[in-house]
Amino acid sequence: MLALDDAIEPLTRAWCCYELFLASSKRMQIDIRAPTQSLLLYKQIENRATGLDIRSCRASNLNDYRMIMAAIAGMEDMINTKIIKLLGDRIHDLVQIFAATGHAETLV
């Protein structure tokens, strides 16, 4: 599950992005949750994901950041691509659910 705040901060956090990569590698489906689910939120996630670069992510613990970066060294572009695809596919599914249920803007 990807739990988001209004700033969509998890997509700037090294651990969160690393875990999204691991989920993608294991072909796990993710669920996206926020206080209010909306088409605007999905567009914002899509926009943030499009520019995602795990090399630009941060961690509150420098040792965690170093460990993650060492574990993915040389695979950063592939990881970015997998995360972007994983999020894009899920957002596509959620938009289809909105359309099918007749929710024009929000689903709580």
Side-chain angles (χ1 to χ4, degrees):
M1 176 186 297
L2 178 61
L4 297 171
D5 55 9
D6 290 338
I8 311 172
E9 186 178 16
L11 296 184
T12 67
R13 310 294 298 165
W15 266 117
C16 295
C17 288
Y18 184 60
E19 289 172 353
L20 285 170
F21 162 67
L22 294 175
S24 174
S25 297
K26 294 178 181 189
R27 298 182 187 263
M28 297 173 68
Q29 186 177 32
I30 62 163
D31 194 12
I32 298 173
R33 294 292 176 185
T36 302
Q37 305 284 96
S38 69
L39 293 175
L40 176 61
L41 171 70
Y42 300 146
K43 186 64 176 169
Q44 290 171 331
I45 296 167
E46 190 173 56
N47 288 341
R48 175 69 57 90
T50 300
L52 183 124
D53 187 341
I54 197 162
R55 290 171 284 234
S56 300
C57 290
R58 60 187 191 281
S60 54
N61 182 309
L62 183 57
N63 289 330
D64 285 350
Y65 178 80
R66 288 179 178 153
M67 181 190 70
I68 292 166
M69 292 299 117
I72 65 168
M75 300 185 298
E76 296 88 349
D77 291 332
M78 181 268 299
I79 289 169
N80 292 336
T81 299
K82 282 189 171 243
I83 294 169
I84 291 166
K85 180 172 180 2
L86 177 70
L87 291 172
D89 289 350
R90 185 62 184 140
I91 288 168
H92 174 76
D93 293 345
L94 291 169
V95 168
Q96 295 303 314
I97 291 168
F98 264 72
T101 59
H103 294 322
E105 289 299 321
T106 61
L107 178 67
V108 179

